[in-house]
Amino acid sequence: MDPIRAYDRSVNRLSRRELLKIAGSVGLAAIARPITAQQTIARPVFMTFPFTLGVASGDPLPNGIVLWTRLAPQPLDGGGMPMTNVDVQWELAADRTFRTVAQRGTAIARPELGHSVHVEVEGLQPGREYWYRFRAGDEISQVGRTKTAPAAGAAVDQLRFAVCGCSHYETGYFTAYRAIADEQFDFVFHTGDYIYEGRGHGGRSPAAVREHSGQEIYTVVDYRNRYAQYKSDPHLLAAHASAPFVVSWDDHEVDNDYAGDRDEHDTPSELFLLRRAAAYQAYYETMPLRRRSVPTGSSMLLYRRLQFGGLVDLSVLDTRQYRSKQACGGGSKAACAEAIDPGRTMLGSEQEKWLFENLANARSTWTVLGQQVPTFARDAQKIDPATRFPMDKWDGYVGARNRLYARLKETRAPNPVLLSGDVHQHYGGDLKLDYARPDSETIGVEFTNTAITSGGDGADTTPAWEQIKSDNPHIKYHSSRRGYIACTATPASMRADFKVLDRVTVPDQPVRIGGSLIVEAGRRGASTT
Ligand SMILES: [Fe+2]
């Protein structure tokens, strides 16, 4: 019997007065039976819609997908759920009207995880679309579209994916997320800075179009509320409901420019790690990730590998959790001995070993490394030699970059494509074995997405870029507008369409292609189309 319809018939509706009596101090969520701590509420009765944070799916496998939601009738105030387990039914169908249900089941939303659910569906068909939804009591969620990965090693004609990140709630509307939703990608790779932790924007950004509620965030509840505020923008919910996300984080999911166990203010590590644990927990709760990523203390396993037939081999990297402290005091500095010290790490030794093994056995047409901060050099000596390189990027971890590039060359991993974000400007270009020598070998390409909103409206170019572009000939496309990248991989080429919006401080502006780069399989380097 269809368990969801069965609930329709059996749910025991209580009067509003009884509901309020049972609900007691739990606020907007009421239940059909008295609460005890150990009990799982099978048939919750809500007084307010609980699926305020929408639905999401992620990390597609050929036979499986992660489905996500979080019950939050009071999303901006901790969630508003009673502190007990609650049953959530899910179903996944082969059609958007749910006539052909492929699988269904019940998951438990637990208070320990903010009443989020992460369903790891298995036994699905490779390379096909599915639609999914959740139910709790009588309440039904939005419908999400998702797609499994093609079968292992299969010939794939085309794969389309978005690369996006840096969505500051205050500095603009999430129109770019709406455009991503409209494109119905095979998957969306998020480069991080999904939220910003601060209060206000430090005077660095243009005028806010809306404001973060509360102060700078530190506790699990703070981070939950911040994620919920971001999800109050319907365009973010639409993007998640349109395609599976493959998420990674950057710094602002915890604290600006943090490095491993050090924050930017040199807070004692044992204290910063308390904050990092809270941030990582809320991140896990909010993202469509597998159980392997459930945090342990202040640690969380985020790096992983996803394969899309014989076409794309994607290693998702974590360049925050294990990196060495920023060189030379952080910020932007002249080239300094510490920055090129090979003893310093960006990935940590275990992740670096894992990645280097992946590169040795990469067999797909495109070897894609999805990560956060640009690996290419951005030399700004013409602006000021004293602030020539950004220490937060791989420019501050030159020894680690040299190891990575040397490994790409040594393994001959097919057609390396690095993805990055963080810098709120589009960049696309070639990776050079030695950036000081423009004629040195090209060992791959990198596409860096601008921001969904961070930095405000932006412009086609900046005075700084005009000043330094001649010193950075490996960079072949640049835009300082907001947007995302739409990538199209085929057996013959990888094309990056750099999508831009003229304004993000005005709602619902159009999105257009600002420029494109194309890489032909077998040839190292990008060219303009
Ligand atoms: Fe950012």
Side-chain angles (χ1 to χ4, degrees):
M1 178 186 283
D2 178 340
I4 290 185
R5 287 202 202 100
Y7 281 110
D8 273 339
R9 287 191 286 275
S10 65
V11 70
N12 179 19
R13 287 189 168 279
L14 304 182
S15 72
R16 180 177 170 79
R17 191 170 164 186
E18 284 169 312
L19 281 172
L20 289 171
K21 192 171 153 194
I22 290 171
S25 62
V26 301
L28 296 178
I31 53 163
R33 288 181 297 189
I35 301 169
T36 64
Q38 294 77 25
Q39 196 172 13
T40 294
I41 306 302
R43 296 187 298 275
V45 178
F46 293 94
M47 298 173 70
T48 307
F49 186 59
F51 296 106
T52 53
L53 306 177
V55 299
S57 69
D59 280 18
L61 300 176
N63 67 345
I65 199 84
V66 182
L67 306 180
W68 173 94
T69 193
R70 184 179 157 232
L71 302 177
Q74 285 182 306
L76 302 177
D77 191 14
M81 289 293 292
M83 288 298 119
T84 188
N85 294 344
V86 174
D87 277 351
V88 178
Q89 289 76 45
W90 58 270
E91 57 182 358
L92 180 121
D95 66 297
R96 69 178 75 233
T97 58
F98 290 81
R99 280 204 189 87
T100 315
V101 173
Q103 288 195 40
R104 58 167 61 92
T106 300
I108 299 174
R110 299 175 186 275
E112 291 87 346
L113 289 173
H115 293 94
S116 58
V117 296
H118 301 72
V119 180
E120 296 179 37
V121 185
E122 296 174 349
L124 301 178
Q125 309 260 311
R128 67 154 298 160
E129 287 180 301
Y130 289 95
W131 288 263
Y132 62 96
R133 64 187 174 189
F134 296 90
R135 173 180 290 223
D138 272 358
E139 305 289 344
I140 300 174
S141 75
Q142 305 89 330
V143 172
R145 168 199 176 263
T146 192
K147 194 169 182 187
T148 49
V156 180
D157 292 342
Q158 179 177 290
L159 194 75
R160 293 193 73 245
F161 58 96
V163 186
C164 66
C166 295
S167 43
H168 199 307
Y169 180 81
E170 296 184 323
T171 59
Y173 299 102
F174 292 166
T175 320
Y177 277 137
R178 162 60 63 183
I180 287 170
D182 290 344
E183 294 210 46
Q184 303 265 295
F185 285 105
D186 290 307
F187 68 91
V188 175
F189 177 63
H190 201 288
T191 57
D193 289 352
Y194 188 104
I195 56 164
Y196 285 77
E197 80 286 7
R199 182 187 185 200
H201 34 77
R204 291 190 298 268
S205 302
V209 298
R210 46 192 182 181
E211 287 185 0
H212 284 153
S213 50
Q215 304 182 55
E216 180 145 348
I217 50 180
Y218 281 87
T219 70
V220 177
V221 175
D222 291 343
Y223 282 100
R224 281 177 188 155
N225 291 344
R226 186 59 56 89
Y227 281 108
Q229 187 175 21
Y230 277 56
K231 283 183 175 254
S232 70
D233 187 315
H235 298 328
L236 175 53
L237 268 57
H240 277 297
S242 75
F245 270 49
V246 176
V247 296
S248 66
W249 56 31
D250 196 25
D251 51 339
H252 289 286
E253 283 86 353
V254 182
D255 184 40
N256 181 50
D257 280 4
Y258 85 91
D261 60 1
R262 308 295 288 261
D263 73 4
E264 63 175 334
H265 303 300
D266 267 340
T267 301
S269 288
E270 66 273 23
L271 301 185
F272 173 63
L273 287 176
L274 296 175
R275 181 184 192 184
R276 197 179 87 169
Y280 282 6
Q281 179 179 338
Y283 184 83
Y284 174 77
E285 289 172 358
T286 310
M287 298 298 160
L289 289 165
R290 291 195 157 76
R291 257 186 302 277
R292 67 192 286 281
S293 290
V294 172
T296 304
S298 60
S299 302
M300 180 171 153
L301 182 58
L302 195 64
Y303 63 84
R304 59 210 191 275
R305 186 181 194 181
L306 295 160
Q307 310 254 13
F308 296 84
L311 190 61
V312 167
D313 179 333
L314 172 61
S315 290
V316 178
L317 310 185
D318 174 356
T319 60
R320 282 290 160 193
Q321 187 172 187
Y322 314 105
R323 64 157 79 182
S324 304
K325 189 185 174 198
Q326 305 222 355
C328 318
S332 289
K333 296 282 161 57
C336 62
E338 200 181 355
I340 58 173
D341 176 2
R344 294 173 66 256
T345 181
M346 186 57 120
L347 300 173
S349 56
E350 270 183 51
Q351 181 180 195
E352 188 174 280
K353 186 162 169 280
W354 165 86
L355 173 64
F356 285 9
E357 282 169 16
N358 291 356
L359 296 178
N361 61 39
R363 297 284 178 273
S364 299
T365 305
W366 302 99
T367 305
V368 181
L369 274 51
Q371 49 101 52
Q372 297 76 38
V373 288
T375 75
F376 64 82
R378 185 180 173 279
D379 185 347
Q381 72 164 323
K382 280 216 179 80
I383 297 172
D384 183 355
T387 57
R388 189 171 171 185
F389 295 112
M391 294 294 105
D392 184 59
K393 323 307 171 203
W394 288 78
D395 269 335
Y397 298 79
V398 174
R401 177 169 70 198
N402 289 343
R403 277 198 300 280
L404 172 60
Y405 285 10
R407 185 65 177 170
L408 286 169
K409 179 178 160 69
E410 172 195 20
T411 58
R412 299 171 187 267
N415 300 307
V417 176
L418 273 63
L419 307 175
S420 54
D422 182 45
V423 290
H424 309 171
Q425 303 185 40
H426 278 315
Y427 292 99
D430 297 345
L431 306 178
K432 307 298 284 186
L433 262 190
D434 180 357
Y435 287 100
R437 290 181 28 242
D439 61 343
S440 73
E441 191 177 341
T442 296
I443 49 111
V445 298
E446 182 159 345
F447 303 141
T448 303
N449 76 78
T450 185
I452 296 285
T453 55
S454 305
D457 287 336
D460 282 338
T461 189
T462 63
W465 174 245
E466 292 304 315
Q467 220 175 326
I468 66 171
K469 65 183 181 185
S470 61
D471 280 341
N472 295 275
H474 50 282
I475 300 173
K476 296 179 173 171
Y477 177 75
H478 168 264
S479 169
S480 186
R481 294 205 182 275
R482 307 291 86 83
Y484 61 97
I485 309 173
C487 290
T488 306
T490 73
S493 67
M494 173 81 79
R495 178 190 177 97
D497 291 320
F498 294 89
K499 302 287 179 97
V500 296
L501 296 91
D502 288 336
R503 300 195 73 186
V504 294
T505 56
V506 177
D508 301 324
Q509 294 299 290
V511 176
R512 59 188 163 82
I513 296 178
S516 301
L517 291 177
I518 194 156
V519 191
E520 287 174 36
R523 306 183 89 186
R524 301 215 158 175
S527 53
T528 50
T529 57

